Amino acid sequence: MTCAATDSKITLASAPGKVLVVGGYLVLDRNYTGLVVGTNACLYSTVQTTALDLSNSDYAFGAADVPITVISPQFESAWWKYAFDTKANTLTQYDSADQGSNGFVQIVLQTTLALVNTRSPDALCTLLANPVPAQHRVGLKILLTADNDFYSQREALAKVGATLTSQSLEQLPAMAKTGKTLGNVHKTGLGSSAAMVTSLVASILVHFGVLSKHDLCENNKQSCTATKGMQLVHNIAQYAHCLAQGKVGSGFDVSAAVYGSHVYRRFSPTVLEAAMSENSSIAELVLATSPENIGWNSEVAPVVIPPRLTLRLADVDTGSNTPSMVKKVLLWQKSNPEQAALLWASLDAANNYIGQVWSSLVEASCSNSTEYNSAIDWCSVRPSSEWKSDMDAVGNPTRALLVNLVDGILRVRQLQRELGENAGVPIEPPKQTRLLDACMTVPGVCMAAVPGAGGYDAIFCIVLSQESGNAVERVWSEWTEMSVGPLLAKQASSGVSVLDSKLYPSLMAMLE
């Protein structure tokens, strides 16, 4: 991604979606970790300083009020208008397309602008001093958009008589209109709310100079200032996301949106208790979100999928109620502490093993690329059941590691099914088991499982070649027990980034 050119009027930030490969349920507990992979499907937040026409507004703007218009053109009736009072540090929604609200957007704006106003008091007030035509006022226009994979494209393809394939998805316009309201759209589970919150926080902080755009550029993220800048985005986004959800979750989805692919250990919820209380002050918010606050004890260990291994995702057209599933699992854990502790320990070991094998494969690709590529080529044209039957595998470290990876994910799946049976929750229901087993018979497939909390929503596969990916997609398209459709998203290591708006003319056109 390209760093943004100097532009004081438009700031564009993106944040990736996520796939929790292993660590579902355990990631809620700080004693355990989860392996989360960021995707190249992103949410985009564009902030523009512009003169807004207020002639049709009945709202009585005060002298200290900054007008804000937020639009999300991929949805029906998706615009909201606000006024931010720079003296009182409060946000008021005064209009919307359907007189409804958007809690996530409203909380991000309230939180981030209040912090901007506290950290850099002149930044927002400067807007109000700009000369403008009558019945206009300088304010913010904010555009929220997403890559297509965050939302099901089944209906869009059906309308044009197209089949549910990658080739058909590639023909759809980028950031296509969903034809639905935000509340009715079918999401694919990539973490759209966390990515939106993160990208919007980042774009506002950079727009008003609290952070430098260089802090969120891919080539500069290892510097000391960039690390603190990323931490500030992370802390604010975690706070806003938790407040909008009404609870402190594990935070892995926001962490993935900020940092990309990594092994994640959650933060202690106590860091947000004071700031999330009913009558919290701006001082408590500043303290809670500060990069210097040692209460933020989450751990992020960067990880990459080994070379030539590619993530493939599928949307399954059968919904699951994730909050209900989590509640039942936690209730079973509380009611059966000894049995749960043993199962948690087994799952933790199995989950960690996947990450260890990935790391070993990365090392193998560096230490002996010829042997590594030869093993990938050999395994990519054979089903995994044949990989350890050949005597040559004894002297081939990479092939042995791929066998270990297959055994590892099968062990994870076995334990997930055991957890589901104990808690009475369909973590890997029989329909998904049959689908995943069918995927594992495809030549070149080394992993197949349900991501995150499991259920019927989605599956992922990791394949060794384009041909393997195509073959997996054919299994999905021919599957009759459930409707299974591909997503275009693949793995990506980068997290939140500031982009050069000039390289995104279609987004800029939406601002006009």
Side-chain angles (χ1 to χ4, degrees):
M1 293 181 176
T2 305
C3 290
T6 300
D7 188 343
S8 62
K9 293 194 174 182
I10 296 178
T11 304
L12 170 62
S14 69
K18 54 75 187 172
V19 179
L20 186 61
V21 173
V22 292
Y25 301 101
L26 273 69
V27 77
L28 292 164
D29 188 331
R30 183 165 160 71
N31 292 311
Y32 306 99
T33 61
L35 195 166
V36 60
V37 172
T39 70
N40 59 359
C42 293
L43 258 289
Y44 304 85
S45 293
T46 309
V47 179
Q48 179 186 36
T49 296
T50 187
L52 297 174
D53 184 356
L54 305 180
S55 58
N56 294 322
S57 173
D58 294 329
Y59 185 75
F61 281 88
D65 286 345
V66 174
I68 303 166
T69 296
V70 179
I71 57 173
S72 190
Q74 287 169 273
F75 303 103
E76 299 294 318
S77 303
W79 57 261
W80 305 268
K81 294 186 178 183
Y82 307 92
F84 184 78
D85 185 333
T86 57
K87 286 188 176 180
N89 258 351
T90 57
L91 183 80
T92 301
Q93 177 180 314
Y94 67 87
D95 199 3
S96 69
D98 57 3
Q99 303 309 305
S101 62
N102 184 324
F104 282 91
V105 169
Q106 191 158 343
I107 286 171
V108 172
L109 292 177
Q110 169 66 65
T111 301
T112 313
L113 290 173
L115 287 168
V116 167
N117 205 31
T118 303
R119 286 172 167 267
S120 303
D122 294 336
L124 282 162
C125 293
T126 301
L127 294 182
L128 301 173
N130 285 298
V132 290
Q135 296 185 310
H136 286 68
R137 185 178 293 211
V138 173
L140 302 177
K141 189 171 186 179
I142 297 176
L143 173 71
L144 303 176
T145 50
D147 286 326
N148 289 340
D149 269 350
F150 284 92
Y151 313 111
S152 174
Q153 303 298 324
R154 294 170 183 271
E155 290 189 17
L157 294 177
K159 284 181 181 178
V160 296
T163 54
L164 191 59
T165 63
S166 293
Q167 290 77 14
S168 297
L169 291 171
E170 289 168 350
Q171 299 306 310
L172 293 174
M175 303 179 194
K177 291 183 180 296
T178 64
K180 295 183 177 296
T181 63
L182 185 57
N184 292 328
V185 72
H186 176 81
K187 297 182 179 181
T188 59
L190 291 183
S192 57
S193 63
M196 184 280 291
V197 166
T198 301
S199 64
L200 184 52
V201 167
S203 61
I204 292 172
L205 292 178
V206 172
H207 195 74
F208 288 105
V210 174
L211 294 182
S212 163
K213 58 182 177 291
H214 300 294
D215 292 340
L216 302 182
C217 285
E218 199 57 41
N219 297 335
N220 196 45
K221 286 184 178 177
Q222 301 308 312
S223 71
C224 182
T225 57
T227 300
K228 286 189 176 182
M230 297 276 283
Q231 185 71 50
L232 180 62
V233 173
H234 170 270
N235 296 355
I236 297 172
Q238 291 283 17
Y239 166 81
H241 197 251
C242 290
L243 194 61
Q245 289 188 317
K247 63 177 182 177
V248 181
S250 72
F252 84 86
D253 44 5
V254 169
S255 190
V258 175
Y259 297 109
S261 301
H262 60 278
V263 175
Y264 174 75
R265 188 184 303 277
R266 70 159 303 150
F267 58 89
S268 300
T270 52
V271 72
L272 291 177
E273 281 182 356
M276 288 185 66
S277 62
E278 188 172 349
N279 297 312
S280 62
S281 65
I282 186 65
E284 288 170 318
L285 179 58
V286 170
L287 175 62
T289 57
S290 170
E292 312 297 334
N293 187 337
I294 61 174
W296 289 103
N297 53 5
S298 55
E299 297 174 14
V300 173
V303 69
V304 294
I305 293 181
R308 297 187 61 185
L309 275 65
T310 302
L311 177 71
R312 295 298 303 267
L313 298 168
D315 168 39
V316 181
D317 195 24
T318 308
S320 298
N321 188 334
T322 299
S324 174
M325 292 171 64
V326 171
K327 185 176 180 180
K328 288 182 179 178
V329 167
L330 295 180
L331 181 62
W332 174 80
Q333 181 191 24
K334 184 177 180 180
S335 302
N336 303 271
E338 293 183 4
Q339 184 183 2
L342 291 173
L343 184 52
W344 253 239
S346 297
L347 266 168
D348 185 48
N351 294 342
N352 290 336
Y353 185 67
I354 297 297
Q356 292 163 8
V357 176
W358 278 16
S359 296
S360 297
L361 283 166
V362 172
E363 291 174 8
S365 72
C366 296
S367 61
N368 191 336
S369 60
T370 301
E371 183 270 334
Y372 180 87
N373 286 316
S374 174
I376 297 291
D377 290 340
W378 192 92
C379 291
S380 68
V381 294
R382 294 169 176 81
S384 61
S385 59
E386 297 180 9
W387 293 355
K388 57 184 172 183
S389 62
D390 190 280
M391 292 302 293
D392 289 343
V394 175
N396 190 307
T398 297
R399 199 184 305 176
L401 287 170
L402 290 171
V403 169
N404 292 344
L405 187 57
V406 171
D407 291 343
I409 196 62
L410 292 177
R411 173 64 173 160
V412 169
R413 287 178 53 199
Q414 174 197 342
L415 293 168
Q416 286 178 326
R417 289 194 297 272
E418 183 179 338
L419 173 59
E421 290 165 5
N422 289 338
V425 170
I427 295 175
E428 188 190 290
K431 286 184 178 181
Q432 291 284 53
T433 298
R434 289 188 284 273
L435 174 59
L436 294 170
D437 288 347
C439 292
M440 288 298 295
T441 67
V442 174
V445 175
C446 59
M447 292 180 70
V450 290
Y456 293 94
D457 288 343
I459 65 167
F460 74 86
C461 294
I462 293 184
V463 300
L464 303 182
S465 68
Q466 179 66 47
E467 291 74 18
S468 300
N470 293 341
V472 162
E473 189 173 325
R474 284 195 292 275
V475 170
W476 297 344
S477 66
E478 295 168 3
W479 201 252
T480 56
E481 194 171 11
M482 297 179 292
S483 176
V484 186
L487 302 182
L488 296 178
K490 306 293 191 298
Q491 72 265 26
S493 296
S494 60
V496 63
S497 299
V498 174
L499 311 176
D500 185 345
S501 60
K502 295 182 179 64
L503 300 179
Y504 296 80
S506 60
L507 283 180
M508 298 307 100
M510 295 183 193
L511 283 171
E512 297 174 357

XYZ file of all heavy atoms in Angstrom, residues 164-234:
515
model
N -22.483 -18.831 -8.621
C -21.786 -18.437 -7.403
C -20.347 -18.953 -7.458
O -19.989 -19.944 -6.834
C -22.530 -18.997 -6.188
C -22.123 -18.486 -4.808
C -22.283 -16.985 -4.714
C -22.950 -19.188 -3.734
N -19.511 -18.234 -8.242
C -18.119 -18.633 -8.421
C -17.210 -17.417 -8.261
O -17.662 -16.269 -8.316
C -17.896 -19.224 -9.824
O -18.161 -18.203 -10.804
C -18.802 -20.418 -10.068
N -15.928 -17.685 -8.101
C -14.956 -16.592 -8.021
C -14.965 -15.754 -9.286
O -14.853 -14.526 -9.242
C -13.549 -17.149 -7.778
O -13.442 -17.742 -6.513
N -15.099 -16.423 -10.422
C -15.106 -15.690 -11.692
C -16.269 -14.708 -11.763
O -16.119 -13.575 -12.236
C -15.178 -16.676 -12.873
C -13.921 -17.499 -13.085
C -13.769 -18.639 -12.092
O -14.736 -18.996 -11.380
N -12.575 -19.218 -12.025
N -17.427 -15.116 -11.261
C -18.583 -14.217 -11.258
C -18.377 -13.068 -10.287
O -18.703 -11.912 -10.581
C -19.849 -14.993 -10.875
O -20.140 -16.003 -11.815
N -17.823 -13.368 -9.118
C -17.574 -12.324 -8.130
C -16.598 -11.276 -8.660
O -16.730 -10.084 -8.369
C -17.018 -12.939 -6.842
C -17.989 -13.804 -6.030
C -17.242 -14.514 -4.904
C -19.125 -12.963 -5.457
N -15.620 -11.715 -9.438
C -14.631 -10.793 -9.987
C -15.239 -9.822 -10.990
O -14.664 -8.763 -11.264
C -13.493 -11.579 -10.642
C -12.596 -12.285 -9.624
C -11.663 -13.290 -10.263
O -11.839 -13.571 -11.483
O -10.770 -13.804 -9.562
N -16.401 -10.164 -11.527
C -17.063 -9.288 -12.517
C -17.911 -8.206 -11.861
O -18.339 -7.262 -12.537
C -17.940 -10.130 -13.453
C -17.180 -11.175 -14.249
C -16.030 -10.591 -15.034
O -16.200 -9.601 -15.768
N -14.839 -11.169 -14.894
N -18.164 -8.329 -10.574
C -18.970 -7.316 -9.891
C -18.158 -6.036 -9.723
O -16.935 -6.078 -9.584
C -19.401 -7.821 -8.510
C -20.382 -8.990 -8.473
C -20.591 -9.453 -7.033
C -21.711 -8.609 -9.101
N -18.817 -4.897 -9.752
C -18.085 -3.644 -9.513
C -17.509 -3.610 -8.106
O -18.078 -4.187 -7.177
C -19.161 -2.564 -9.708
C -20.464 -3.272 -9.497
C -20.259 -4.665 -9.975
N -16.387 -2.950 -7.938
C -15.781 -2.828 -6.618
C -16.719 -2.047 -5.696
O -17.396 -1.114 -6.125
C -14.435 -2.119 -6.722
N -16.779 -2.458 -4.445
C -17.605 -1.781 -3.447
C -19.037 -1.619 -3.965
O -19.634 -0.552 -3.933
C -16.996 -0.434 -3.060
C -15.576 -0.577 -2.538
S -14.807 0.981 -2.107
C -13.076 0.469 -1.975
N -19.579 -2.735 -4.410
C -20.895 -2.737 -5.047
C -22.000 -2.415 -4.053
O -21.901 -2.716 -2.856
C -21.150 -4.101 -5.682
N -23.056 -1.813 -4.554
C -24.228 -1.540 -3.725
C -24.877 -2.866 -3.339
O -24.996 -3.781 -4.153
C -25.223 -0.662 -4.476
C -24.728 0.766 -4.707
C -25.787 1.601 -5.388
C -25.316 3.023 -5.627
N -25.052 3.755 -4.358
N -25.298 -2.954 -2.073
C -25.897 -4.201 -1.584
C -27.393 -4.280 -1.873
O -27.971 -5.365 -1.855
C -25.678 -4.335 -0.075
O -26.369 -3.265 0.592
C -24.193 -4.285 0.275
N -28.028 -3.133 -2.101
C -29.467 -3.115 -2.293
C -30.239 -3.333 -1.007
O -31.457 -3.540 -1.030
N -29.551 -3.267 0.140
C -30.185 -3.503 1.431
C -29.803 -2.402 2.417
O -28.838 -1.672 2.212
C -29.753 -4.861 1.991
C -30.220 -6.053 1.161
C -29.827 -7.355 1.819
C -30.371 -8.542 1.024
N -31.849 -8.572 1.015
N -30.581 -2.309 3.478
C -30.186 -1.406 4.558
C -29.055 -2.054 5.356
O -28.838 -3.270 5.273
C -31.365 -1.116 5.502
O -31.758 -2.351 6.130
C -32.539 -0.516 4.740
N -28.375 -1.252 6.129
C -27.268 -1.766 6.931
C -27.743 -2.852 7.895
O -27.042 -3.837 8.145
C -26.622 -0.610 7.708
C -25.369 -0.931 8.517
C -24.282 -1.520 7.643
C -24.854 0.337 9.209
N -28.948 -2.701 8.415
C -29.459 -3.677 9.371
C -29.890 -4.990 8.751
O -29.989 -6.000 9.452
N -30.139 -4.996 7.442
C -30.660 -6.198 6.788
C -29.637 -6.924 5.921
O -29.930 -7.979 5.372
C -31.873 -5.851 5.916
C -33.065 -5.423 6.740
O -33.249 -5.904 7.861
N -33.874 -4.512 6.210
N -28.451 -6.367 5.792
C -27.462 -6.980 4.910
C -26.933 -8.268 5.536
O -26.834 -8.396 6.756
C -26.294 -5.996 4.629
C -25.407 -5.826 5.858
C -25.486 -6.439 3.421
N -26.621 -9.253 4.699
C -26.061 -10.520 5.167
C -24.540 -10.401 5.183
O -23.901 -10.282 4.138
C -26.474 -11.676 4.251
C -25.856 -12.997 4.622
N -26.357 -13.802 5.626
C -24.768 -13.648 4.138
C -25.610 -14.888 5.730
N -24.637 -14.809 4.840
N -23.957 -10.418 6.382
C -22.503 -10.306 6.509
C -21.854 -11.683 6.412
O -22.483 -12.697 6.681
C -22.144 -9.642 7.842
C -22.661 -8.215 7.974
C -22.225 -7.590 9.287
C -22.719 -6.155 9.406
N -22.268 -5.526 10.689
N -20.579 -11.682 6.047
C -19.871 -12.946 5.843
C -18.944 -13.306 7.001
O -18.232 -14.301 6.939
C -19.053 -12.895 4.545
O -18.124 -11.806 4.622
C -19.954 -12.710 3.334
N -18.920 -12.491 8.049
C -18.148 -12.841 9.230
C -16.700 -12.407 9.221
O -15.889 -12.919 10.005
N -16.333 -11.447 8.359
C -14.950 -10.988 8.300
C -14.641 -9.871 9.300
O -13.518 -9.363 9.322
C -14.608 -10.502 6.882
C -14.531 -11.573 5.800
C -14.122 -10.954 4.460
C -13.556 -12.678 6.184
N -15.607 -9.477 10.104
C -15.346 -8.468 11.126
C -15.514 -7.050 10.620
O -14.673 -6.191 10.878
N -16.621 -6.789 9.942
C -16.825 -5.471 9.327
C -16.912 -4.356 10.359
O -16.381 -3.256 10.137
C -18.082 -5.479 8.446
O -19.229 -5.854 9.204
N -17.571 -4.605 11.493
C -17.706 -3.526 12.473
C -16.357 -3.165 13.079
O -16.036 -1.984 13.252
C -18.703 -3.910 13.575
O -18.250 -5.033 14.307
N -15.532 -4.152 13.399
C -14.206 -3.880 13.966
C -13.325 -3.153 12.956
O -12.588 -2.217 13.317
C -13.540 -5.183 14.403
N -13.381 -3.557 11.703
C -12.564 -2.907 10.676
C -13.047 -1.486 10.413
O -12.237 -0.575 10.204
C -12.593 -3.729 9.385
N -14.372 -1.271 10.430
C -14.888 0.079 10.241
C -14.469 0.988 11.384
O -13.978 2.109 11.159
C -16.416 0.043 10.135
C -17.063 1.396 9.828
S -17.235 2.503 11.252
C -18.493 1.612 12.188
N -14.647 0.511 12.612
C -14.270 1.307 13.780
C -12.791 1.674 13.710
O -12.408 2.840 13.909
C -14.585 0.524 15.071
C -13.894 1.169 16.274
C -16.090 0.457 15.305
N -11.950 0.718 13.403
C -10.506 0.947 13.371
C -10.111 1.937 12.285
O -9.321 2.867 12.520
C -9.768 -0.389 13.166
O -10.104 -1.285 14.242
C -8.264 -0.189 13.119
N -10.648 1.755 11.086
C -10.283 2.657 9.982
C -10.786 4.072 10.239
O -10.099 5.051 9.917
C -10.827 2.128 8.653
O -12.241 2.103 8.634
N -11.969 4.205 10.857
C -12.517 5.541 11.128
C -11.719 6.239 12.224
O -11.416 7.436 12.118
C -13.994 5.432 11.504
C -14.750 6.749 11.732
C -14.580 7.702 10.555
C -16.231 6.480 11.994
N -11.363 5.520 13.275
C -10.513 6.099 14.319
C -9.203 6.594 13.709
O -8.763 7.726 13.951
C -10.233 5.074 15.433
C -9.102 5.558 16.351
C -11.489 4.798 16.254
N -8.571 5.748 12.910
C -7.276 6.101 12.322
C -7.375 7.311 11.407
O -6.533 8.220 11.454
C -6.722 4.902 11.548
N -8.408 7.346 10.565
C -8.529 8.449 9.610
C -8.756 9.781 10.320
O -8.207 10.824 9.914
C -9.657 8.170 8.605
O -10.907 8.033 9.259
N -9.528 9.777 11.404
C -9.776 11.020 12.147
C -8.504 11.485 12.863
O -8.151 12.667 12.833
C -10.925 10.826 13.155
C -12.260 10.621 12.407
C -11.041 12.030 14.087
C -13.418 10.233 13.305
N -7.793 10.563 13.507
C -6.572 10.926 14.226
C -5.526 11.515 13.281
O -4.854 12.499 13.614
C -5.993 9.711 14.945
C -6.800 9.147 16.115
C -6.109 7.922 16.689
C -7.014 10.200 17.199
N -5.396 10.929 12.105
C -4.414 11.448 11.134
C -4.909 12.754 10.528
O -4.131 13.692 10.329
C -4.142 10.397 10.040
C -3.288 10.991 8.910
C -3.445 9.178 10.630
N -6.196 12.847 10.262
C -6.745 14.037 9.625
C -6.480 15.281 10.462
O -6.218 16.361 9.921
C -8.244 13.857 9.410
C -8.855 14.849 8.463
N -8.671 14.783 7.101
C -9.641 15.939 8.688
C -9.318 15.776 6.516
N -9.916 16.497 7.461
N -6.548 15.130 11.777
C -6.357 16.282 12.656
C -4.960 16.352 13.270
O -4.715 17.129 14.187
C -7.427 16.289 13.745
C -8.786 16.647 13.225
C -9.755 15.681 13.062
C -9.075 17.953 12.853
C -11.016 16.002 12.551
C -10.326 18.294 12.350
C -11.296 17.315 12.194
N -4.051 15.545 12.757
C -2.657 15.676 13.146
C -2.287 15.094 14.493
O -1.170 15.307 14.969
N -3.207 14.374 15.131
C -2.849 13.694 16.381
C -1.798 12.623 16.087
O -0.877 12.382 16.864
C -4.090 13.079 17.049
C -3.702 12.250 18.269
C -5.067 14.178 17.447
N -1.955 11.971 14.933
C -0.949 11.047 14.424
C -0.462 11.546 13.077
O -1.216 12.190 12.333
C -1.524 9.639 14.248
C -1.953 8.867 15.493
C -2.449 7.492 15.083
C -0.821 8.758 16.482
N 0.763 11.218 12.747
C 1.279 11.479 11.408
C 0.848 10.353 10.476
O 0.747 9.190 10.901
C 2.804 11.566 11.436
O 3.343 11.428 10.132
N 0.610 10.691 9.240
C 0.263 9.649 8.268
C 1.380 8.615 8.153
O 1.151 7.446 7.844
C -0.032 10.255 6.903
C 1.095 11.058 6.303
C 0.678 11.656 4.972
C 1.770 12.532 4.365
N 1.948 13.770 5.162
N 2.628 9.038 8.427
C 3.755 8.115 8.331
C 3.709 7.049 9.421
O 4.293 5.973 9.265
C 5.070 8.897 8.415
C 5.218 9.908 7.319
N 5.336 9.543 5.994
C 5.244 11.267 7.346
C 5.436 10.639 5.246
N 5.380 11.694 6.049
N 3.013 7.341 10.518
C 2.892 6.349 11.587
C 2.108 5.123 11.145
O 2.265 4.043 11.717
C 2.192 6.959 12.809
C 3.029 8.026 13.491
O 4.251 8.039 13.279
O 2.441 8.847 14.238
N 1.254 5.298 10.158
C 0.391 4.203 9.708
C 0.703 3.799 8.276
O -0.160 3.276 7.572
C -1.085 4.600 9.840
C -1.542 4.989 11.247
C -3.023 5.304 11.246
C -1.240 3.881 12.245
N 1.936 4.033 7.845
C 2.391 3.571 6.539
C 3.159 2.266 6.715
O 3.934 2.117 7.667
C 3.281 4.615 5.861
S 2.348 5.990 5.201
N 2.943 1.333 5.817
C 3.492 -0.011 5.965
C 5.007 -0.009 6.163
O 5.544 -0.780 6.957
C 3.123 -0.857 4.734
C 3.237 -2.350 4.964
C 2.385 -2.816 6.130
O 1.243 -2.352 6.275
O 2.880 -3.654 6.907
N 5.711 0.872 5.466
C 7.172 0.857 5.521
C 7.737 1.473 6.796
O 8.940 1.442 7.019
C 7.756 1.595 4.305
C 7.396 0.911 3.009
O 7.144 -0.286 2.987
N 7.364 1.669 1.918
N 6.872 2.041 7.631
C 7.364 2.797 8.783
C 6.803 2.301 10.108
O 6.994 2.914 11.142
C 7.007 4.280 8.601
C 7.803 5.183 9.523
O 9.008 5.028 9.667
N 7.123 6.114 10.175
N 6.075 1.166 10.085
C 5.331 0.746 11.271
C 6.211 0.201 12.400
O 5.721 -0.021 13.496
C 4.275 -0.292 10.892
C 3.078 0.322 10.156
C 2.017 -0.699 9.873
C 0.816 -0.070 9.182
N -0.220 -1.067 8.834
N 7.491 -0.029 12.136
C 8.359 -0.561 13.179
C 9.042 0.533 13.995
O 9.722 0.254 14.969
C 9.424 -1.484 12.550
C 8.833 -2.652 11.775
C 7.823 -3.446 12.573
O 8.078 -3.807 13.713
N 6.671 -3.724 11.978
N 8.899 1.800 13.587
C 9.545 2.877 14.322
C 8.860 3.074 15.677
O 7.719 2.656 15.889
C 9.495 4.180 13.532
O 8.180 4.683 13.490
N 9.567 3.740 16.597
C 9.027 3.941 17.950
C 7.743 4.764 17.924
O 6.755 4.421 18.574
C 10.086 4.615 18.815
S 9.547 4.852 20.532
N 7.741 5.858 17.161
C 6.542 6.703 17.106
C 5.391 5.974 16.431
O 4.235 6.124 16.820
C 6.833 8.023 16.370
O 7.323 7.727 15.047
C 7.852 8.856 17.114
N 5.707 5.187 15.407
C 4.657 4.438 14.723
C 4.050 3.396 15.651
O 2.832 3.183 15.662
C 5.212 3.776 13.469
N 4.891 2.744 16.451
C 4.392 1.738 17.390
C 3.423 2.371 18.389
O 2.355 1.818 18.681
C 5.559 1.086 18.141
O 6.429 0.456 17.188
C 5.061 0.053 19.134
N 3.760 3.549 18.904
C 2.853 4.244 19.825
C 1.591 4.700 19.107
O 0.499 4.685 19.686
C 3.575 5.432 20.451
C 4.599 5.048 21.510
C 5.124 6.275 22.253
C 6.067 5.858 23.378
N 6.553 7.019 24.144
N 1.749 5.121 17.853
C 0.587 5.529 17.077
C -0.371 4.383 16.846
O -1.593 4.526 16.989
N 0.172 3.211 16.508
C -0.664 2.022 16.327
C -1.358 1.649 17.637
O -2.528 1.268 17.650
C 0.204 0.857 15.849
C 0.865 1.072 14.502
S -0.198 0.656 13.121
C -0.096 -1.116 13.152
N -0.637 1.787 18.739
C -1.218 1.465 20.046
C -2.367 2.412 20.377
O -3.403 1.996 20.914
C -0.154 1.540 21.136
C -0.632 1.110 22.518
C -0.879 -0.391 22.623
O -0.020 -1.171 22.253
N -2.043 -0.776 23.120
N -2.208 3.689 20.028
C -3.284 4.653 20.280
C -4.519 4.301 19.462
O -5.648 4.307 19.984
C -2.810 6.071 19.949
C -3.847 7.185 20.167
C -4.261 7.264 21.625
C -3.299 8.532 19.684
N -4.335 3.994 18.177
C -5.464 3.574 17.343
C -6.117 2.334 17.952
O -7.348 2.244 18.062
C -5.007 3.288 15.892
C -6.153 2.682 15.087
C -4.515 4.561 15.217
N -5.297 1.377 18.335
C -5.803 0.133 18.926
C -6.635 0.408 20.175
O -7.762 -0.087 20.320
C -4.621 -0.778 19.280
C -4.992 -1.965 20.107
N -4.988 -1.946 21.494
C -5.398 -3.222 19.763
C -5.379 -3.127 21.951
N -5.625 -3.914 20.926
